[in-house]
Amino acid sequence: MLWLERQVVASLSGDVRPQHRLAIEGYVDGVLRAMPELLRIGVAGESIVLGAGTWLAARLGSRRLLSERLEGWEHSRIGPIRQYVRLLSSLVIFASEELAPDPQALDPSQPSAAAAGANGRG
Amino acid sequence: MKTLETEVLIIGSGAGGAVTAATLARAGRSVLVVEEGPWIDPDAVEPFSLDEMVLKYRHQGASAALGTPGIAYAEGRCVGGSTEINSGLYHRLPEELADEWRRTYRIAEFTPEVLDKYSDLVENELSVSKLPGAPPPSSAVLERGAAKLGWRAVEFARVFRYDHQGRGVKQTMARTLVPRAVEAGAQILAECRISRLLKRDDRIVGARAERTLPGGETEPVTIIAEHVFVCGGAIQTPTLLQHSGIRAQIGNGLKFHPTIKVAARFPQAYDHGDVPMHRVTEFSPFLTIGGSASRRGHVALALADSGGDYADALAAWEDVVVYYAAIRSDGSGRVTALPGFRAPLVTYRMTDADQSRLARGLLHLGEVLLAAGATELYPSIAGAPVARRAEDLVEWWDAFTPSTANLMTVHLTSTVRMGDDQSRTGADSFGRVWGFRNLRINDASLLPDAPGVNPQAAIMTIAARNADEFLSHL
């Protein structure tokens, strides 16, 4: 995964346990590696361009959070940017739910995976 | 370099390849089936689970046809092909559609009598049957909603074998015809990818392949064959042919059923272990309404596709089931193999009529679910409101645009097409590729159009017929 992809996955995963987060990241990384080369090139290209913009904005003092940027990209007028967010969020949501630890084994003080999946995407 | 020799090389082990392999092996032919994916015990992973996507789906499920809108699609990549990952619904090719194809593409020996004969064979072989008892609630929803609206709904047969307690087991190719082909003498070479066919004049003399060994390293393999059947499905078959320099009428004309989903919330928990087997057929063959896999992850995805606030519904995910509307499309697409890339470029163009039909299908889907007692409907349209009453559905019509609709499909067909009209087809009436004496296609690529229902029955029927015809020439 590229830098922005890792940041986006972390942001979309929400406040989950480290082990759960690692499992989600591992799944997303696996899918990105397995996807058709042309699609991967497109996604990587967007990651580089959007990532450079995000990095530069931060260097110039922007306090805008990545979650706020994601919100903007999700409603972008540029189709591929919307699709970029949709792809990563779909992978994170599916993995969050399918890889969620047994709820009975969860510490009640921790937010549930379901809430985390919805967090920022709801 | 390792060299293998066989009389018949079959590339792909899905619905088309497995039927071909079993038929030819039982007839005493020397058969080698080469499958790109792994051979996985059909019981090793839960159906529709994340593990299944990782192990059995091509690209782990991350495939898409580019266009406006882009459309996600799924293919199997394992021994048994897409029969390992589909819902197992079985529907004979409608007679009027077969008749239309026969006339339009000049397909010889494509009469109802011929097709029925092979359909009977397939159905007996695979124990195609309906549920022995009452349908699960998630399926009965469609029947109930349709009845309230005065619409037709039917329970579809499935490629399932039921025990005396009514428990069903999907009769995938890895569970049935592949092992039966092996019993009859066929050899299966899994995790072996064919990179190109070897041509000499008007014959294919073999194939170049790369086999992945248990340790992960690869070895080049050359396979010498007298006859070659390519059965890789509607995306992989044209890709291999194009990589081999065979391009006439190959790869264009891709068809599928654009599909849109709705997550429906009910007042009580529903079953989630199976896919509903009822379908609303009131608008068939141009529009079909059915149910989809609804594990927790699928429910979350479908809810998220609506783009609104879904946290409350997700917390009650056991009350939520995913349904869909799928259309027969006037649009078409293209599969283009690109030098240096394994995966092809896949594009699809929906027509304005398709979009209108799909939007109408979405509204009908909403109607039937509300009539059946759903309390909240989340459509796969970014920004569309949650519908709680029939009046709310009207807003979906305006919200449905190419840029807001989240579409998917699973039934990919028609990238070679069969028939004796050479101006419209890539292969003759029995799948023999034009210009080659011993190269045949026997998979979903041959279907001239997407049939409006799960195409597995049509693929297997046609594959059995073509394999028989091949044997008659030996």
Side-chain angles (χ1 to χ4, degrees), chain B residues 171-194:
Chain B
Q171 301 298 288
T172 69
M173 294 304 102
R175 200 187 288 281
T176 57
L177 288 178
V178 170
R180 290 171 201 169
V182 171
E183 276 173 31
Q187 289 184 291
I188 313 291
L189 193 59
E191 302 200 61
C192 185
R193 177 180 176 273
I194 304 286

Short mmCIF file of all heavy atoms in Angstrom, two decimals, chain B residues 171-194:
data_model
loop_
_atom_site.label_atom_id
_atom_site.label_comp_id
_atom_site.label_asym_id
_atom_site.label_seq_id
_atom_site.Cartn_x
_atom_site.Cartn_y
_atom_site.Cartn_z
N GLN B 171 -23.91 -28.31 -5.73
CA GLN B 171 -23.17 -29.28 -6.54
C GLN B 171 -22.25 -28.52 -7.50
O GLN B 171 -22.53 -28.40 -8.71
CB GLN B 171 -24.15 -30.18 -7.30
CG GLN B 171 -25.08 -30.97 -6.38
CD GLN B 171 -24.31 -31.91 -5.45
OE1 GLN B 171 -23.78 -32.92 -5.88
NE2 GLN B 171 -24.27 -31.57 -4.16
N THR B 172 -21.19 -27.99 -6.93
CA THR B 172 -20.24 -27.24 -7.74
C THR B 172 -19.45 -28.20 -8.62
O THR B 172 -19.46 -29.42 -8.41
CB THR B 172 -19.26 -26.47 -6.84
OG1 THR B 172 -18.41 -27.43 -6.20
CG2 THR B 172 -19.99 -25.66 -5.78
N MET B 173 -18.72 -27.65 -9.56
CA MET B 173 -17.92 -28.51 -10.44
C MET B 173 -16.80 -29.21 -9.68
O MET B 173 -16.46 -30.36 -9.98
CB MET B 173 -17.33 -27.69 -11.60
CG MET B 173 -18.37 -27.13 -12.56
SD MET B 173 -19.45 -28.35 -13.29
CE MET B 173 -20.94 -28.15 -12.33
N ALA B 174 -16.24 -28.55 -8.67
CA ALA B 174 -15.17 -29.19 -7.89
C ALA B 174 -15.71 -30.36 -7.06
O ALA B 174 -14.95 -31.21 -6.61
CB ALA B 174 -14.50 -28.17 -6.98
N ARG B 175 -17.03 -30.36 -6.85
CA ARG B 175 -17.63 -31.42 -6.07
C ARG B 175 -18.19 -32.53 -6.96
O ARG B 175 -18.47 -33.63 -6.49
CB ARG B 175 -18.77 -30.81 -5.22
CG ARG B 175 -19.21 -31.61 -4.03
CD ARG B 175 -20.43 -30.97 -3.41
NE ARG B 175 -20.17 -29.74 -2.70
CZ ARG B 175 -19.66 -29.66 -1.47
NH1 ARG B 175 -19.36 -30.74 -0.82
NH2 ARG B 175 -19.47 -28.49 -0.91
N THR B 176 -18.42 -32.22 -8.23
CA THR B 176 -19.14 -33.17 -9.09
C THR B 176 -18.33 -33.55 -10.34
O THR B 176 -17.63 -34.56 -10.36
CB THR B 176 -20.50 -32.58 -9.51
OG1 THR B 176 -20.27 -31.31 -10.16
CG2 THR B 176 -21.41 -32.38 -8.31
N LEU B 177 -18.45 -32.72 -11.37
CA LEU B 177 -17.93 -33.15 -12.67
C LEU B 177 -16.40 -33.19 -12.75
O LEU B 177 -15.87 -34.01 -13.51
CB LEU B 177 -18.49 -32.24 -13.77
CG LEU B 177 -19.97 -32.49 -14.07
CD1 LEU B 177 -20.48 -31.52 -15.14
CD2 LEU B 177 -20.20 -33.92 -14.52
N VAL B 178 -15.73 -32.36 -11.99
CA VAL B 178 -14.26 -32.43 -12.04
C VAL B 178 -13.78 -33.77 -11.47
O VAL B 178 -13.02 -34.49 -12.14
CB VAL B 178 -13.61 -31.22 -11.34
CG1 VAL B 178 -12.10 -31.42 -11.18
CG2 VAL B 178 -13.88 -29.95 -12.13
N PRO B 179 -14.21 -34.16 -10.25
CA PRO B 179 -13.77 -35.48 -9.77
C PRO B 179 -14.28 -36.63 -10.64
O PRO B 179 -13.59 -37.65 -10.78
CB PRO B 179 -14.34 -35.56 -8.34
CG PRO B 179 -15.24 -34.41 -8.16
CD PRO B 179 -14.89 -33.39 -9.18
N ARG B 180 -15.45 -36.45 -11.24
CA ARG B 180 -15.95 -37.52 -12.11
C ARG B 180 -15.12 -37.62 -13.39
O ARG B 180 -14.92 -38.71 -13.93
CB ARG B 180 -17.44 -37.28 -12.44
CG ARG B 180 -18.33 -37.49 -11.22
CD ARG B 180 -19.77 -37.06 -11.45
NE ARG B 180 -20.42 -36.83 -10.16
CZ ARG B 180 -21.60 -36.25 -10.01
NH1 ARG B 180 -22.28 -35.83 -11.07
NH2 ARG B 180 -22.11 -36.07 -8.81
N ALA B 181 -14.66 -36.50 -13.86
CA ALA B 181 -13.76 -36.53 -15.02
C ALA B 181 -12.45 -37.23 -14.66
O ALA B 181 -11.91 -38.02 -15.44
CB ALA B 181 -13.48 -35.10 -15.51
N VAL B 182 -11.97 -36.96 -13.45
CA VAL B 182 -10.74 -37.62 -12.99
C VAL B 182 -10.95 -39.13 -12.89
O VAL B 182 -10.10 -39.92 -13.32
CB VAL B 182 -10.28 -37.03 -11.64
CG1 VAL B 182 -9.14 -37.83 -11.05
CG2 VAL B 182 -9.87 -35.57 -11.81
N GLU B 183 -12.10 -39.52 -12.33
CA GLU B 183 -12.41 -40.96 -12.24
C GLU B 183 -12.39 -41.61 -13.62
O GLU B 183 -12.02 -42.77 -13.78
CB GLU B 183 -13.80 -41.15 -11.65
CG GLU B 183 -13.85 -41.12 -10.14
CD GLU B 183 -15.29 -41.14 -9.64
OE1 GLU B 183 -16.16 -41.74 -10.31
OE2 GLU B 183 -15.54 -40.52 -8.59
N ALA B 184 -12.81 -40.83 -14.62
CA ALA B 184 -12.86 -41.36 -15.99
C ALA B 184 -11.51 -41.26 -16.70
O ALA B 184 -11.41 -41.62 -17.88
CB ALA B 184 -13.93 -40.62 -16.79
N GLY B 185 -10.50 -40.74 -15.98
CA GLY B 185 -9.16 -40.74 -16.57
C GLY B 185 -8.56 -39.39 -16.88
O GLY B 185 -7.41 -39.31 -17.30
N ALA B 186 -9.34 -38.31 -16.69
CA ALA B 186 -8.80 -36.98 -16.99
C ALA B 186 -7.75 -36.59 -15.95
O ALA B 186 -7.82 -37.02 -14.80
CB ALA B 186 -9.92 -35.95 -17.00
N GLN B 187 -6.81 -35.78 -16.38
CA GLN B 187 -5.82 -35.23 -15.45
C GLN B 187 -6.13 -33.75 -15.23
O GLN B 187 -6.53 -33.05 -16.18
CB GLN B 187 -4.43 -35.36 -16.02
CG GLN B 187 -3.91 -36.79 -16.04
CD GLN B 187 -2.48 -36.82 -16.54
OE1 GLN B 187 -2.22 -36.55 -17.70
NE2 GLN B 187 -1.56 -37.13 -15.64
N ILE B 188 -5.96 -33.30 -14.00
CA ILE B 188 -6.20 -31.89 -13.68
C ILE B 188 -4.87 -31.27 -13.25
O ILE B 188 -4.20 -31.79 -12.36
CB ILE B 188 -7.21 -31.71 -12.51
CG1 ILE B 188 -8.45 -32.59 -12.72
CG2 ILE B 188 -7.59 -30.24 -12.34
CD1 ILE B 188 -9.34 -32.21 -13.84
N LEU B 189 -4.54 -30.17 -13.87
CA LEU B 189 -3.32 -29.45 -13.49
C LEU B 189 -3.76 -28.07 -12.98
O LEU B 189 -4.09 -27.18 -13.76
CB LEU B 189 -2.42 -29.31 -14.71
CG LEU B 189 -0.99 -28.86 -14.48
CD1 LEU B 189 -0.25 -29.79 -13.54
CD2 LEU B 189 -0.25 -28.77 -15.82
N ALA B 190 -3.80 -27.94 -11.63
CA ALA B 190 -4.23 -26.67 -11.04
C ALA B 190 -3.04 -25.73 -10.91
O ALA B 190 -1.89 -26.14 -11.02
CB ALA B 190 -4.86 -26.93 -9.68
N GLU B 191 -3.34 -24.47 -10.67
CA GLU B 191 -2.34 -23.42 -10.50
C GLU B 191 -1.35 -23.39 -11.68
O GLU B 191 -0.14 -23.31 -11.50
CB GLU B 191 -1.60 -23.59 -9.17
CG GLU B 191 -2.57 -23.55 -7.99
CD GLU B 191 -1.92 -23.24 -6.69
OE1 GLU B 191 -1.34 -22.15 -6.56
OE2 GLU B 191 -2.00 -24.08 -5.79
N CYS B 192 -1.92 -23.50 -12.83
CA CYS B 192 -1.12 -23.47 -14.06
C CYS B 192 -1.79 -22.50 -15.03
O CYS B 192 -2.93 -22.72 -15.44
CB CYS B 192 -1.03 -24.87 -14.66
SG CYS B 192 0.04 -24.96 -16.10
N ARG B 193 -1.10 -21.43 -15.35
CA ARG B 193 -1.68 -20.38 -16.18
C ARG B 193 -1.17 -20.48 -17.61
O ARG B 193 0.04 -20.45 -17.84
CB ARG B 193 -1.33 -19.01 -15.60
CG ARG B 193 -1.83 -17.85 -16.41
CD ARG B 193 -1.45 -16.51 -15.78
NE ARG B 193 -1.87 -15.43 -16.66
CZ ARG B 193 -1.12 -14.95 -17.66
NH1 ARG B 193 0.08 -15.44 -17.85
NH2 ARG B 193 -1.58 -13.99 -18.43
N ILE B 194 -2.10 -20.58 -18.53
CA ILE B 194 -1.73 -20.60 -19.94
C ILE B 194 -1.48 -19.16 -20.39
O ILE B 194 -2.35 -18.30 -20.23
CB ILE B 194 -2.86 -21.21 -20.81
CG1 ILE B 194 -3.23 -22.62 -20.33
CG2 ILE B 194 -2.46 -21.19 -22.29
CD1 ILE B 194 -2.23 -23.69 -20.67
#
